CSV table of all heavy atoms in Angstrom, one decimal:
chain,number,residue,atom,x,y,z
A,422,MET,N,0.8,1.3,-1.6
A,422,MET,CA,0.2,1.9,-0.4
A,422,MET,C,0.5,1.0,0.8
A,422,MET,O,0.9,-0.2,0.7
A,422,MET,CB,-1.4,1.9,-0.5
A,422,MET,CG,-1.8,2.9,-1.6
A,422,MET,SD,-1.2,4.5,-1.5
A,422,MET,CE,-1.9,5.3,-2.9
A,423,VAL,N,0.5,1.7,2.0
A,423,VAL,CA,0.8,1.0,3.3
A,423,VAL,C,-0.1,-0.3,3.5
A,423,VAL,O,0.3,-1.3,3.9
A,423,VAL,CB,0.7,1.9,4.5
A,423,VAL,CG1,0.8,1.1,5.8
A,423,VAL,CG2,1.8,3.0,4.4
A,424,LEU,N,-1.4,-0.1,3.1
A,424,LEU,CA,-2.3,-1.3,3.2
A,424,LEU,C,-1.9,-2.4,2.3
A,424,LEU,O,-2.0,-3.6,2.7
A,424,LEU,CB,-3.7,-0.8,2.8
A,424,LEU,CG,-4.8,-1.9,2.9
A,424,LEU,CD1,-4.9,-2.4,4.4
A,424,LEU,CD2,-6.2,-1.4,2.5
A,425,ASP,N,-1.3,-2.2,1.1
A,425,ASP,CA,-0.8,-3.3,0.2
A,425,ASP,C,0.3,-4.0,1.0
A,425,ASP,O,0.4,-5.3,0.9
A,425,ASP,CB,-0.2,-2.6,-1.0
A,425,ASP,CG,-1.4,-2.0,-1.9
A,425,ASP,OD1,-2.4,-2.7,-2.0
A,425,ASP,OD2,-1.1,-0.9,-2.4
A,426,ALA,N,1.1,-3.2,1.7
A,426,ALA,CA,2.2,-3.9,2.4
A,426,ALA,C,1.7,-4.7,3.6
A,426,ALA,O,2.2,-5.9,3.9
A,426,ALA,CB,3.2,-2.8,3.0
A,427,LEU,N,0.7,-4.2,4.3
A,427,LEU,CA,0.1,-5.0,5.4
A,427,LEU,C,-0.6,-6.3,4.9
A,427,LEU,O,-0.4,-7.4,5.5
A,427,LEU,CB,-0.9,-4.2,6.1
A,427,LEU,CG,-0.4,-3.0,7.0
A,427,LEU,CD1,-1.5,-2.2,7.5
A,427,LEU,CD2,0.4,-3.5,8.1
A,428,ILE,N,-1.3,-6.2,3.8
A,428,ILE,CA,-1.9,-7.4,3.2
A,428,ILE,C,-0.8,-8.4,2.8
A,428,ILE,O,-1.0,-9.6,3.0
A,428,ILE,CB,-2.8,-7.0,2.0
A,428,ILE,CG1,-4.0,-6.2,2.6
A,428,ILE,CG2,-3.3,-8.2,1.3
A,428,ILE,CD1,-4.9,-5.6,1.5
A,429,LYS,N,0.3,-7.9,2.1
A,429,LYS,CA,1.3,-8.8,1.8
A,429,LYS,C,1.9,-9.6,2.9
A,429,LYS,O,2.2,-10.8,2.8
A,429,LYS,CB,2.4,-8.0,0.9
A,429,LYS,CG,3.5,-8.9,0.4
A,429,LYS,CD,4.5,-8.1,-0.4
A,429,LYS,CE,5.6,-8.9,-0.9
A,429,LYS,NZ,5.2,-10.0,-1.9
A,430,ILE,N,2.2,-8.8,4.0
A,430,ILE,CA,2.8,-9.4,5.2
A,430,ILE,C,1.9,-10.5,5.7
A,430,ILE,O,2.2,-11.6,6.1
A,430,ILE,CB,3.1,-8.3,6.2
A,430,ILE,CG1,4.2,-7.4,5.7
A,430,ILE,CG2,3.4,-8.9,7.6
A,430,ILE,CD1,4.4,-6.2,6.6
A,431,LYS,N,0.6,-10.1,5.8
A,431,LYS,CA,-0.4,-11.1,6.4
A,431,LYS,C,-0.5,-12.3,5.5
A,431,LYS,O,-0.7,-13.5,6.0
A,431,LYS,CB,-1.8,-10.4,6.5
A,431,LYS,CG,-2.9,-11.3,7.2
A,431,LYS,CD,-4.2,-10.5,7.4
A,431,LYS,CE,-5.2,-11.5,8.1
A,431,LYS,NZ,-4.8,-11.8,9.5
A,432,ASN,N,-0.6,-12.1,4.2
A,432,ASN,CA,-0.8,-13.2,3.3
A,432,ASN,C,0.5,-14.2,3.1
A,432,ASN,O,0.4,-15.3,2.9
A,432,ASN,CB,-1.2,-12.7,1.9
A,432,ASN,CG,-2.6,-12.2,1.9
A,432,ASN,OD1,-3.3,-12.4,2.8
A,432,ASN,ND2,-2.9,-11.4,0.8
A,433,GLU,N,1.7,-13.6,3.2
A,433,GLU,CA,2.9,-14.3,2.8
A,433,GLU,C,3.8,-14.6,4.0
A,433,GLU,O,4.7,-15.4,3.9
A,433,GLU,CB,3.6,-13.6,1.7
A,433,GLU,CG,2.8,-13.4,0.4
A,433,GLU,CD,3.6,-12.6,-0.6
A,433,GLU,OE1,4.8,-12.4,-0.5
A,433,GLU,OE2,2.9,-12.2,-1.6
A,434,ILE,N,3.8,-13.7,5.1
A,434,ILE,CA,4.7,-13.8,6.2
A,434,ILE,C,4.1,-14.2,7.5
A,434,ILE,O,4.5,-15.3,8.1
A,434,ILE,CB,5.5,-12.5,6.3
A,434,ILE,CG1,6.2,-12.1,5.0
A,434,ILE,CG2,6.5,-12.6,7.5
A,434,ILE,CD1,7.0,-10.8,5.1
A,435,ASP,N,3.1,-13.5,7.9
A,435,ASP,CA,2.5,-13.8,9.2
A,435,ASP,C,1.0,-13.6,9.2
A,435,ASP,O,0.5,-12.5,9.3
A,435,ASP,CB,3.1,-12.8,10.2
A,435,ASP,CG,2.7,-13.0,11.7
A,435,ASP,OD1,1.9,-13.9,11.9
A,435,ASP,OD2,3.3,-12.4,12.6
A,436,PRO,N,0.3,-14.7,9.1
A,436,PRO,CA,-1.2,-14.7,9.0
A,436,PRO,C,-1.8,-14.2,10.3
A,436,PRO,O,-3.0,-14.0,10.2
A,436,PRO,CB,-1.5,-16.1,8.6
A,436,PRO,CG,-0.4,-17.0,8.9
A,436,PRO,CD,0.8,-16.1,8.8
A,437,SER,N,-1.1,-14.2,11.4
A,437,SER,CA,-1.7,-13.8,12.7
A,437,SER,C,-1.8,-12.3,12.8
A,437,SER,O,-2.5,-11.8,13.7
A,437,SER,CB,-0.9,-14.3,13.8
A,437,SER,OG,0.4,-13.7,13.9
A,438,LEU,N,-1.2,-11.5,11.9
A,438,LEU,CA,-1.3,-10.0,11.9
A,438,LEU,C,-2.8,-9.6,11.7
A,438,LEU,O,-3.4,-10.1,10.8
A,438,LEU,CB,-0.4,-9.4,10.8
A,438,LEU,CG,-0.5,-7.9,10.7
A,438,LEU,CD1,0.0,-7.3,12.0
A,438,LEU,CD2,0.4,-7.4,9.5
A,439,THR,N,-3.3,-8.8,12.6
A,439,THR,CA,-4.6,-8.4,12.6
A,439,THR,C,-4.8,-6.9,12.3
A,439,THR,O,-4.1,-6.1,13.1
A,439,THR,CB,-5.3,-8.8,14.0
A,439,THR,OG1,-5.1,-10.2,14.1
A,439,THR,CG2,-6.8,-8.5,14.0
A,440,PHE,N,-5.6,-6.5,11.5
A,440,PHE,CA,-6.0,-5.1,11.2
A,440,PHE,C,-7.3,-5.0,10.5
A,440,PHE,O,-7.8,-6.1,9.9
A,440,PHE,CB,-4.9,-4.4,10.4
A,440,PHE,CG,-4.5,-5.1,9.1
A,440,PHE,CD1,-5.3,-4.8,7.9
A,440,PHE,CD2,-3.6,-6.1,9.0
A,440,PHE,CE1,-4.9,-5.5,6.7
A,440,PHE,CE2,-3.3,-6.8,7.9
A,440,PHE,CZ,-4.0,-6.4,6.7
A,441,ARG,N,-7.9,-3.9,10.5
A,441,ARG,CA,-9.2,-3.7,9.9
A,441,ARG,C,-9.0,-3.1,8.5
A,441,ARG,O,-8.1,-2.3,8.2
A,441,ARG,CB,-10.1,-2.7,10.6
A,441,ARG,CG,-10.7,-3.2,11.8
A,441,ARG,CD,-11.7,-2.2,12.4
A,441,ARG,NE,-12.4,-2.7,13.7
A,441,ARG,CZ,-12.1,-2.2,14.8
A,441,ARG,NH1,-11.3,-1.2,15.0
A,441,ARG,NH2,-12.7,-2.7,15.9
A,442,ARG,N,-9.8,-3.5,7.5
A,442,ARG,CA,-9.8,-2.9,6.1
A,442,ARG,C,-11.0,-3.4,5.4
A,442,ARG,O,-11.6,-4.4,5.8
A,442,ARG,CB,-8.5,-3.4,5.4
A,442,ARG,CG,-8.4,-4.9,5.3
A,442,ARG,CD,-8.4,-5.3,3.8
A,442,ARG,NE,-8.1,-6.8,3.6
A,442,ARG,CZ,-8.5,-7.4,2.6
A,442,ARG,NH1,-9.2,-6.8,1.6
A,442,ARG,NH2,-8.3,-8.7,2.4
A,443,SER,N,-11.4,-2.6,4.4
A,443,SER,CA,-12.6,-3.0,3.7
A,443,SER,C,-12.5,-2.4,2.3
A,443,SER,O,-12.2,-3.2,1.3
A,443,SER,CB,-13.9,-2.4,4.4
A,443,SER,OG,-15.0,-2.9,3.7
A,444,CYS,N,-12.7,-1.2,2.1
A,444,CYS,CA,-13.0,-0.6,0.8
A,444,CYS,C,-11.7,-0.4,-0.1
A,444,CYS,O,-11.7,-0.5,-1.4
A,444,CYS,CB,-13.8,0.7,0.7
A,444,CYS,SG,-12.8,2.0,1.4
A,445,ARG,N,-10.6,-0.1,0.5
A,445,ARG,CA,-9.3,0.2,-0.1
A,445,ARG,C,-9.4,1.5,-1.0
A,445,ARG,O,-8.6,1.7,-1.8
A,445,ARG,CB,-8.8,-0.9,-0.9
A,445,ARG,CG,-8.6,-2.2,-0.2
A,445,ARG,CD,-8.0,-3.3,-1.0
A,445,ARG,NE,-6.7,-3.1,-1.4
A,445,ARG,CZ,-5.9,-3.9,-2.0
A,445,ARG,NH1,-6.3,-5.1,-2.2
A,445,ARG,NH2,-4.6,-3.6,-2.3
A,446,GLU,N,-10.4,2.3,-0.7
A,446,GLU,CA,-10.7,3.5,-1.5
A,446,GLU,C,-10.8,4.8,-0.8
A,446,GLU,O,-11.2,5.8,-1.2
A,446,GLU,CB,-11.9,3.3,-2.5
A,446,GLU,CG,-11.9,2.2,-3.4
A,446,GLU,CD,-10.8,2.5,-4.5
A,446,GLU,OE1,-10.5,3.6,-4.7
A,446,GLU,OE2,-10.5,1.5,-5.2
A,447,GLY,N,-10.5,4.7,0.6
A,447,GLY,CA,-10.6,5.9,1.4
A,447,GLY,C,-12.0,6.3,1.7
A,447,GLY,O,-12.4,7.5,1.9
A,448,ILE,N,-13.0,5.4,1.7
A,448,ILE,CA,-14.4,5.6,1.8
A,448,ILE,C,-14.9,5.2,3.2
A,448,ILE,O,-15.7,5.8,3.9
A,448,ILE,CB,-15.2,5.0,0.7
A,448,ILE,CG1,-14.8,5.6,-0.6
A,448,ILE,CG2,-16.7,5.3,1.0
A,448,ILE,CD1,-15.0,7.1,-0.7
C-alpha cells in the first residue's frame, strides 16, 4: 500500500516527512 511506502520513506530515508496515519485499516 501507499501508506507502507510513506512509512518506509519516513523510517529509512527522510524522517522529516510528515503525514497523518493511525489504524491502517480504512477505519
